[in-house]
Amino acid sequence: GMVMFYFIKKAIDKKNDNGSGEIAVQQPITQENISIVLDAYSSAVKDKADKSVINDLNKSFADSYGLRVYQRKSDEKFVVTDLSGKEVKVV
């Protein structure tokens, strides 16, 4: 799980580095992008990653994909939202 997290984080960082120091343009919200962020976030949570690592991961998701993920305390489901807070997917 942590290995998967490492490689996904590296891929996100590489996408954001276009050589000019500018942040890459955010990708459109697609089912593929939703699956990527959901898999990475859930893997980090299952591996009991530090809260700071999970927050950094979410920041990368927001920058790269325009998405955030959190786990609801009421039912333990993972919720993917856009940057305005609108729920995109609940698993």
Side-chain angles (χ1 to χ4, degrees):
M2 285 305 289
V3 172
M4 183 178 153
F5 165 73
Y6 173 78
F7 286 114
I8 289 173
K9 176 99 170 87
K10 283 289 215 186
I12 289 170
D13 290 344
K14 189 174 185 179
K15 283 183 184 179
N16 285 342
D17 183 15
N18 59 13
S20 66
E22 297 175 12
I23 294 176
V25 176
Q26 155 183 317
Q27 297 182 16
I29 296 174
T30 64
Q31 288 301 318
E32 181 181 2
N33 291 344
I34 292 169
S35 293
I36 290 169
V37 300
L38 193 55
D39 290 344
Y41 188 90
S42 63
S43 291
V45 169
K46 287 176 187 172
D47 288 343
K48 298 180 181 167
D50 288 337
K51 189 92 168 161
S52 63
V53 171
I54 292 174
N55 289 339
D56 288 344
L57 187 60
N58 240 344
K59 183 179 179 338
S60 295
F61 296 157
D63 292 344
S64 298
Y65 300 106
L67 297 168
R68 291 191 178 110
V69 186
Y70 67 93
Q71 188 172 21
R72 287 194 296 217
K73 291 184 180 191
S74 61
D75 59 6
E76 300 294 315
K77 290 188 177 187
F78 293 104
V79 180
V80 181
T81 66
D82 62 14
L83 296 182
S84 68
K86 179 183 171 195
E87 288 185 5
V88 178
K89 186 169 187 173
V90 178
V91 181

